[in-house]
Amino acid sequence: MDSSWSKVLDWRGVGTSVGSSVLAAVRHLPSVRWLSSAMEAKLLQRLAVVQYILSFLFMGPACIILLMYLLYTSCWWVTALYCLWLAHDWNTHKQAGRRSEWVRNWPVWTYFKDYFPIRLIKTHDLPPNKNYIFGYHPHGIFCFGAFCNFATEANMFSEKYPGITPYVATLSGNFLLPVAREYLMSAGVCPVTHDTIDFLLSRNGTGNAVIIAVGGAAESLNSSPGENHITLRNRKGFVRKALKHGAALVPVFSFGENETYQQVMFADGSVCQRVQKRLQKALGFALCLIRGCRLLSADPWGLMPFPKAITSVVGEPISVPQVSEPSAEEVDRYHALYMAAVQHLFEKEKTRFGLKKRDKLHIH
């Protein structure tokens, strides 16, 4: 057991003395010393998922509250210094950010991956002398597969695609949150804005891959087990960007992403559904009522995701010419090619990952 805890507490030689002290205390805990290696691994996997969900939901607001609280204490200078740093660093996230390979290689991401488990399947090579836009489908509730496969090295993306640097695009509002923005940038996450995508595809060299969950918040409203619905038919902005910069389009279908939570689905046209969609348009993300498995016996609802396998299959790239001002006809043409590629990828791979031949992909 000691070796596993050492791996978590002593990441790449950092905090050795602290890790040793904690391990000494852990040995004397009756509730821990009797854990089998399998139980210990399961506990660490759950903790890894919990930290991801809590970071996703609460890191930003918690840091705002903490910085405001420090203003009224003798540590007010911490908030003052951070605000000065923020003013100086305000545009960094718009220009490729500040990624950290140390953060992307944290062992916690391996435990996170193993909880489901999450896999990344490569089908074609991607030459590093080009730029790419990956369309990720479906969005799911928390985009577990997108984050694990492209914002961490848990599935060895850099080894599978040498020379390719992935950037996971998310809501720009997340980068207004203090401290949380640093965490996101360290993982290679960037805002899904015109300026940022233009910078990555035109002024940051080649070998860049921007990962976009094309369906966004609207698609997450259809995230529930057994549902194969993606929002794509009227989403053409990413195709226009690909044409403008000559970036290849790469479809990615993540089998199992919708299986991680049971979502409360409201009847079409109901008051609850209308309110949900209005909030989605106003906030930029969807507020879903979800149910997973229980973290503790006292948890009546279940906020942990179901440990269902998630397999992200990266399809064949679609070559796109560079057209500075693409016409509507050109956009429609390559958008149709992309939709056909997503459909083909789904049909080709579905039976390998638990779906039946009669299961269909519904594109909205």
Side-chain angles (χ1 to χ4, degrees):
M1 183 183 74
D2 293 350
S3 61
S4 298
W5 282 100
S6 297
K7 186 179 179 183
V8 177
L9 296 170
D10 183 17
W11 292 345
R12 301 203 170 184
V14 177
T16 303
S17 60
V18 176
S20 300
S21 300
V22 175
L23 281 173
V26 165
R27 293 190 190 98
H28 294 88
L29 291 177
S31 61
V32 174
R33 66 185 181 187
W34 297 109
L35 285 177
S36 66
S37 58
M39 291 175 64
E40 183 182 324
K42 187 175 181 179
L43 173 62
L44 293 173
Q45 291 165 12
R46 287 191 164 217
L47 290 175
V49 174
V50 167
Q51 71 82 26
Y52 172 81
I53 294 174
L54 293 181
S55 298
F56 187 93
L57 295 175
F58 302 117
M59 177 181 278
C63 290
I64 291 174
I65 293 171
L66 176 61
L67 290 173
M68 291 181 66
Y69 168 75
L70 291 176
L71 281 175
Y72 297 94
T73 70
S74 58
C75 294
W76 60 267
W77 53 271
V78 174
T79 301
L81 285 177
Y82 184 78
C83 288
L84 289 174
W85 161 256
L86 198 59
H88 168 74
D89 196 56
W90 188 249
N91 291 317
T92 299
H93 64 276
K94 301 177 183 178
Q95 300 176 351
R98 187 172 45 252
R99 67 199 296 120
S100 167
E101 293 306 315
W102 176 67
V103 173
R104 288 174 56 86
N105 282 280
W106 276 352
V108 70
W109 303 129
T110 300
Y111 289 106
F112 176 79
K113 173 197 72 172
D114 291 341
Y115 173 83
F116 295 93
I118 298 173
R119 291 187 295 166
L120 176 65
I121 303 297
K122 173 183 176 179
T123 61
H124 294 78
D125 290 329
L126 298 181
N129 61 344
K130 293 183 179 181
N131 286 322
Y132 303 88
I133 293 180
F134 286 27
Y136 184 85
H137 315 275
H139 182 285
I141 299 295
F142 286 108
C143 279
F144 292 122
F147 185 88
C148 181
N149 287 321
F150 305 116
T152 81
E153 287 295 328
N155 277 320
M156 299 179 291
F157 178 91
S158 61
E159 292 186 17
K160 293 180 178 179
Y161 297 98
I164 305 298
T165 305
Y167 295 90
V168 179
T170 187
L171 294 174
S172 58
N174 290 324
F175 294 89
L176 300 177
L177 302 173
V179 183
R181 69 186 290 274
E182 323 295 342
Y183 185 58
L184 290 172
M185 284 192 291
S186 68
V189 180
C190 67
V192 61
T193 61
H194 293 291
D195 291 342
T196 301
I197 295 174
D198 287 339
F199 179 88
L200 291 172
L201 298 180
S202 64
R203 289 180 286 165
N204 199 45
T206 58
N208 301 294
V210 182
I211 294 87
I212 303 175
V214 178
E219 191 171 270
S220 66
L221 295 178
N222 287 317
S223 301
S224 206
E227 299 291 337
N228 301 308
H229 296 266
I230 64 173
T231 302
L232 177 61
R233 197 169 300 279
N234 295 317
R235 302 295 176 98
K236 302 180 181 181
F238 73 105
V239 177
R240 187 176 298 276
K241 285 294 182 187
L243 282 164
K244 182 178 179 181
H245 300 291
L249 290 167
V250 182
V252 181
F253 200 92
S254 204
F255 295 90
E257 186 74 58
N258 284 347
E259 309 298 315
T260 55
Y261 282 105
Q262 180 67 55
Q263 184 177 172
V264 176
M265 308 298 287
F266 300 115
D268 290 340
S270 66
V271 174
C272 290
Q273 187 190 62
R274 291 201 299 270
V275 170
Q276 189 180 44
K277 289 186 175 181
R278 286 179 181 176
L279 286 173
Q280 170 226 314
K281 291 180 180 179
L283 299 174
F285 59 89
L287 295 175
C288 306
L289 292 178
I290 56 175
R291 186 169 187 173
C293 60
R294 295 180 179 182
L295 176 61
L296 301 170
S297 58
D299 175 11
W301 188 252
L303 294 179
M304 284 289 291
F306 295 115
K308 300 291 186 179
I310 299 173
T311 306
S312 301
V313 184
V314 181
E316 183 178 2
I318 302 170
S319 295
V320 175
Q322 185 170 4
V323 182
S324 57
E325 294 294 335
S327 65
E329 291 76 14
E330 288 172 314
V331 172
D332 288 344
R333 176 190 173 194
Y334 283 94
H335 182 261
L337 287 174
Y338 180 83
M339 284 201 301
V342 173
Q343 186 78 56
H344 175 73
L345 182 63
F346 176 84
E347 293 294 333
K348 180 181 178 182
E349 305 288 348
K350 63 183 181 182
T351 55
R352 290 178 58 192
F353 306 114
L355 277 68
K356 299 177 180 178
K357 286 186 177 181
R358 65 173 180 269
D359 290 329
K360 301 296 182 183
L361 177 64
H362 304 280
I363 301 179
H364 303 285

